[in-house]
Amino acid sequence: MHVIGRRALLLAGASLAAPATIRSAHAQRAWPDRPIVLVNPYPPGGSTEFSARIVAMRMEAALGQSIVIEARPGAGTAVGNAHVTGLRPDGYTLLMGTTSLAVLPALQPTSQPRDPTVALTACAAATRSPFVLHVHPDLPVRTAAELIGYAKANPGRLSWGSSGTGAINHMTFELFRARAGIDAVHVPYRGGAPALLDLQAGRIQAMFAASQEALPSIQSGLSRAIAITSAQRIALLPDVPPVADTIPGFESVFWQGLFAPAGLPVEIVARIEAACAEATGDRAVIERLAGAGIDAWPGGAALLRTTLARDLETWTRIIREANITAA
């Protein structure tokens, strides 16, 4: 009787545990069973939304669910970033995080997340975009080396525009200024469009701009491209050399990747990672992005985590050394 009773208890325990195990497995298989929201922390219509839509459309096919792009702009992406950080990690709200995650902790210490490497789960790398260093046509320089020489010969006279204090093209300028050892004046604008207009009018002399934004100005002769911030040349501007040809090791790109609130189950991370890899490896996606000067960036959670940690260290150092504060 003792043996029979023990076996009965074991069988009863197994029967009680089985439904929980089945429910757990079913829950993992079921994700996603409803639409996913992908938060764009920038205003609608920009390059982040463009990239997000192209990648998301291909991910929908892989996941079997629609992905809704939701714009939550404000405070240099801090509004959208904080919104996602505070949500439950269920995989139904993701963030199209960008390089700004590596800038804001030092620039806006009270904003959330204070430490994005802890507050967010990196899921998958998505895209990378270099900046074009272009100048007003009247500036007597045609290379990055000549620009550095001109700035050193005219300290404090070269005015350099950006789309705002703390924007990635501003950070790129600060990195360039520090590495080149030049004295130039930073002129922040509320967005890239007004900065570009002033560059074309000659009210500022130089700026870093996203390639898709700079290209029409360059093609029309209203500005002159002299360098690219990626390590290699890009197809849209094959004759424009990297800044690294003049300043060895220089690289600054605007990256985008998929993040979720901290604590997202590893099974869901793996699904997102695989779906994004399908998207960024798809030839049609690659070609559509390339047409706008954006590179597909195939890579998983580990690559995105490493990139965020590295850039967080780089931009924190630059912000502190240049004593940059939020406007």
Side-chain angles (χ1 to χ4, degrees):
M1 290 295 292
H2 176 72
V3 173
I4 294 173
R6 186 178 178 187
R7 287 180 64 190
L9 286 172
L10 288 172
L11 288 171
S15 66
L16 288 172
T21 303
I22 292 170
R23 283 196 302 271
S24 176
H26 176 71
Q28 290 177 12
R29 286 197 303 269
W31 186 91
D33 63 1
R34 63 179 188 269
I36 298 164
V37 173
L38 178 56
V39 173
N40 165 26
Y42 293 90
S47 62
T48 298
E49 183 183 49
F50 175 80
S51 298
R53 289 197 182 281
I54 292 174
V55 172
M57 284 176 63
R58 182 61 181 82
M59 287 182 65
E60 287 177 339
L63 295 173
Q65 280 292 340
S66 61
I67 300 177
V68 180
I69 310 297
E70 180 182 282
R72 284 185 175 265
T77 74
V79 170
N81 298 342
H83 170 72
V84 175
T85 301
L87 296 178
R88 189 162 62 93
D90 57 11
Y92 289 102
T93 303
L94 304 176
L95 172 70
M96 183 57 99
T98 72
T99 314
S100 69
L101 284 169
V103 173
L104 291 181
L107 188 70
Q108 300 179 24
T110 60
S111 69
Q112 295 294 336
R114 294 186 182 180
D115 185 350
T117 64
V118 173
L120 291 167
T121 300
C123 297
T127 68
R128 285 164 43 105
S129 307
F131 294 104
V132 178
L133 172 53
H134 60 148
V135 301
H136 188 268
D138 288 347
L139 197 69
V141 301
R142 293 188 173 274
T143 66
E146 289 180 358
L147 180 65
I148 293 170
Y150 179 88
K152 288 183 175 180
N154 299 275
R157 293 180 58 189
L158 186 65
S159 56
W160 208 297
S162 81
S163 53
T165 299
I168 308 306
N169 61 345
H170 171 212
M171 293 294 97
T172 302
F173 158 67
E174 295 292 352
L175 180 63
F176 182 87
R177 178 166 64 175
R179 292 288 305 278
I182 62 173
D183 178 13
V185 178
H186 172 231
V187 183
Y189 289 81
R190 292 189 175 183
L196 182 58
L197 287 175
D198 270 9
L199 175 66
Q200 294 170 345
R203 286 185 281 272
I204 57 175
Q205 283 76 53
M207 70 177 291
F208 287 104
S211 52
Q212 66 269 32
E213 296 171 358
L215 193 60
S217 178
I218 294 164
Q219 291 175 330
S220 63
L222 294 174
S223 63
R224 178 189 303 125
I226 62 173
I228 195 86
T229 63
S230 53
Q232 296 83 30
R233 300 185 185 220
I234 61 172
L236 281 181
L237 296 165
D239 298 326
V240 179
V243 173
D245 285 4
T246 300
I247 303 176
F250 186 97
E251 185 177 23
S252 177
V253 298
F254 179 71
W255 53 256
Q256 298 172 321
L258 297 174
F259 291 85
L264 187 68
V266 294
E267 298 86 357
I268 298 178
V269 173
R271 292 284 311 277
I272 295 169
E273 187 177 48
C276 192
E278 284 191 34
T280 53
D282 185 277
R283 182 168 295 279
V285 170
I286 293 170
E287 290 176 354
R288 285 197 66 190
L289 291 171
I294 301 169
D295 293 327
W297 188 30
L303 174 61
L304 187 59
R305 248 190 334 266
T306 300
T307 301
L308 174 59
R310 180 200 64 206
D311 282 9
L312 191 59
E313 181 180 345
T314 297
W315 297 128
T316 296
R317 185 182 71 252
I318 291 294
I319 287 167
R320 289 174 179 170
E321 288 176 355
N323 195 27
I324 301 167
T325 57

